[in-house]
Amino acid sequence: MMKYLKYIYMCLTLLILSCESTEKDLEFAPPTLTGNADFSELITRQAGSSIDKIYELGSSSGLQKFEIFQDGKLLEFENYDDVITASYIFSFTVPVNVDNGTIFEFDFVLTDKEGRQVSERLRLLVDLTFIVLPAVVNGTDVIQIKGQLNKDYTLEASNKYLVDSILSVSSNSVLTIEAGTEVYFKTYDDDPNKEAKVARLIITQGSQLIAIGTAETPILFTSDKLLLNEEPSITDWGGVVLLGKAPTNQGIVPEGEFLYGGNEPDDNSGALRYIRSEYAGKNNNDNLNDAHAFKFFGVGSGTQIDHIQVYKNRNVGFRVKGGRVNLKYMSAIGHGGYGLWAGDGWQGNGQFWVFQTDVQSTQNPNFWNIARSIEMRNDGGNFLLEPRTTFTISNVTCIGNGNGSTVDFGTRRGVRFRQGAVGIFQNAIITEFPNDGSRVEDLAPEELGNAMIFDNVRSFNNFLSNFKNDAEFFDNDPAYNVSSDPVAGISINNFVGSEISTFNPVSLGSFFTSAPYIGAVESAANDWTSEGSWFKNLDGTIR
């Protein structure tokens, strides 16, 4: 009898322990509070400047409230009902009459339905953040600048400038750069055990960059290795970033400690003309996917951008996320990854684009396997997400790194439209790619020839078949004038040349210039890249 009682007791014990284990497994995880930037250390801002941070709140048991305290006093709060996740945008502007040396202390406290809390503290020191120092680099006088600029400022052509680390423009300020100004960006010998140092120019929401050069006196952004008589590389500095308030299909999005996106389609981030950017392609965490020469994120149609050349950069020449900005007379020569990659709901126009690269796309290492001259995407999770990436582009020439027996096999392509991106793509030359010249993908059949137009295209001398997936619709219909016929004069070394087209892009709107020809550069007699001294050839000579 005792034997059976002992057995029953053991079973009951195991059952109780099992229930306790099950109950523990069902316990809700503690709440989480994460932000878009690490402000764990004391940060510095000038009087009149702003700080913005997006917090992501979460609790599996449900959110109750989020409170923000300034110096121990409740500043703002939000109550929640029947939600387990939420986003909260915190914005604070330092009063203009605050003395330098003042410290503000903020506490962010999240409470969930079970009364559990998680918190974060932010300490803000009010002090000067923009530093200007005269310096001498290898016998050359420069003005060294860095920090956060929250007042209007001008870089003068009579000086040479050295951007040391991050230079950001905030608080609705305007940075003006005169025609002919040379701006060098500091390079660093990085410690492999620490986060990489990077020099970069960032124009934040509400602020502007007015950088208007001319063909004869362009503005130059380049590596300080040229001052040091050293060989520059495609990974020397971090590029130029414009963050605007125009819509994206991702909402308002963090970019480091700053934000972009909003509901102002005609937002104005300034004017950029006749600029050459050289050797940009570094990120502070050495993330190849974020090493771009120009970032136009949430940039509005009020921004004027034309005659911009990217020369020798590591990854993307022009990265566009959302916004309504229009782009004219653009080029990326010697780009590593993409020439131009747009997505996240960009809705804009483009004309006269030249992309040419000599960077091989190999299977191992894998990074540049995904490289293209032009990539258009909408959203990977929802191809129809609004606002939908919708482009209107004409007069393009894309030249790859070749497809012969001496070129390592890879998947570098000319152009690719995918993940729901739609629009008009007219008058284009695509040649010398080690994979297919073009791909049109991820569209419903009824969108082909309607929402998506791919017309007057010459794709030739590419390694694989010229057109893939939905692009076969246009390839197989003679009405769209798409073929593999070569264009006279166009080769791996020459992007000047065109063929007469029946399509004139002026029919697309006032943004477009009359150009009834296939290609970006009509002829030697009409060559926008050879004006003045602003444009470099692939070999580094001025055209």
Side-chain angles (χ1 to χ4, degrees), residues 65-353:
K65 60 181 176 180
F66 183 52
E67 299 169 295
I68 302 174
F69 298 87
Q70 178 184 331
D71 300 323
K73 297 181 180 180
L74 184 64
L75 177 66
E76 51 191 81
F77 68 93
E78 184 79 26
N79 292 322
Y80 299 96
D81 186 25
D82 297 328
V83 296
I84 60 174
T85 62
S87 296
Y88 191 97
I89 300 179
F90 170 70
S91 298
F92 177 76
T93 300
V94 181
V96 294
N97 58 350
V98 172
D99 295 332
N100 289 339
T102 301
I103 293 179
F104 293 97
E105 193 168 84
F106 299 92
D107 288 291
F108 304 86
V109 182
L110 174 64
T111 306
D112 71 6
K113 292 294 186 183
E114 295 190 357
R116 296 174 300 179
Q117 292 186 333
V118 62
S119 63
E120 179 180 281
R121 175 165 292 178
L122 185 155
R123 300 178 70 239
L124 187 154
L125 169 67
V126 181
D127 205 346
L128 297 177
T129 59
F130 180 58
I131 299 172
V132 180
L133 294 171
V136 178
V137 178
N138 196 28
T140 300
D141 292 330
V142 300
I143 296 178
Q144 188 170 331
I145 55 177
K146 69 176 180 179
Q148 187 175 68
L149 178 65
N150 69 340
K151 62 179 181 180
D152 294 350
Y153 194 80
T154 298
L155 305 187
E156 300 173 345
S158 56
N159 301 317
K160 297 181 188 296
Y161 295 86
L162 176 62
V163 176
D164 181 354
S165 66
I166 305 297
L167 174 62
S168 61
V169 182
S170 63
S171 303
N172 301 318
S173 303
V174 178
L175 174 63
T176 301
I177 304 179
E178 292 183 349
T181 303
E182 297 177 4
V183 184
Y184 297 85
F185 289 80
K186 189 174 178 62
T187 56
Y188 301 90
D189 294 326
D190 294 317
D191 184 338
N193 299 315
K194 296 181 180 179
E195 186 175 64
K197 293 182 180 179
V198 61
R200 175 179 288 144
L201 172 60
I202 302 175
I203 311 300
T204 67
Q205 285 187 318
S207 296
Q208 293 184 337
L209 173 62
I210 306 297
I212 303 177
T214 70
E216 293 76 19
T217 55
I219 292 168
L220 177 65
F221 296 143
T222 192
S223 167
D224 73 338
K225 288 182 180 177
L226 295 180
L227 295 174
L228 298 168
N229 293 326
E230 298 177 1
E231 186 70 24
S233 78
I234 60 175
T235 60
D236 279 350
W237 60 285
V240 177
V241 183
L242 268 63
L243 305 174
K245 299 179 181 179
T248 80
N249 60 20
Q250 306 298 310
I252 297 176
V253 187
E255 171 65 12
E257 64 179 87
F258 306 108
L259 307 177
Y260 69 90
N263 57 6
E264 300 180 25
D266 58 351
D267 187 39
N268 185 353
S269 294
L272 285 69
R273 293 191 181 119
Y274 287 105
I275 297 173
R276 185 172 70 249
S277 166
E278 304 174 341
Y279 313 113
K282 182 179 184 179
N283 198 45
N284 59 357
N285 61 6
D286 205 30
N287 180 358
L288 294 178
N289 293 323
D290 200 30
H292 313 321
F294 284 92
K295 294 181 180 180
F296 302 135
F297 290 3
V299 176
S301 61
T303 310
Q304 303 297 310
I305 299 179
D306 61 78
H307 293 90
I308 310 294
Q309 184 189 27
V310 171
Y311 178 76
K312 299 284 188 180
N313 74 296
R314 182 180 199 169
N315 189 7
V316 180
F318 304 98
R319 183 68 170 98
V320 184
K321 289 188 177 182
R324 301 292 184 270
V325 65
N326 301 312
L327 305 170
K328 199 168 189 177
Y329 300 110
M330 310 290 285
S331 71
I333 304 297
H335 60 89
Y338 302 81
L340 184 145
W341 176 2
D344 293 4
W346 176 59
Q347 296 182 351
N349 303 316
Q351 189 180 20
F352 303 124
W353 292 359

Side-chain angles (χ1 to χ4, degrees), residues 361-369:
S361 168
T362 62
Q363 291 292 343
N364 187 19
N366 188 51
F367 170 62
W368 280 316
N369 278 347

Side-chain angles (χ1 to χ4, degrees), residues 405-419:
S405 59
T406 61
V407 179
D408 288 344
F409 179 78
T411 57
R412 181 181 289 281
R413 298 185 174 100
V415 300
R416 192 175 189 182
F417 308 110
R418 61 192 299 207
Q419 296 182 356

Side-chain angles (χ1 to χ4, degrees), residues 525-541:
N526 182 23
D527 180 0
W528 53 270
T529 68
S530 65
E531 301 170 351
S533 60
W534 75 284
F535 199 102
K536 270 190 175 181
N537 294 308
L538 190 59
D539 64 5
T541 58

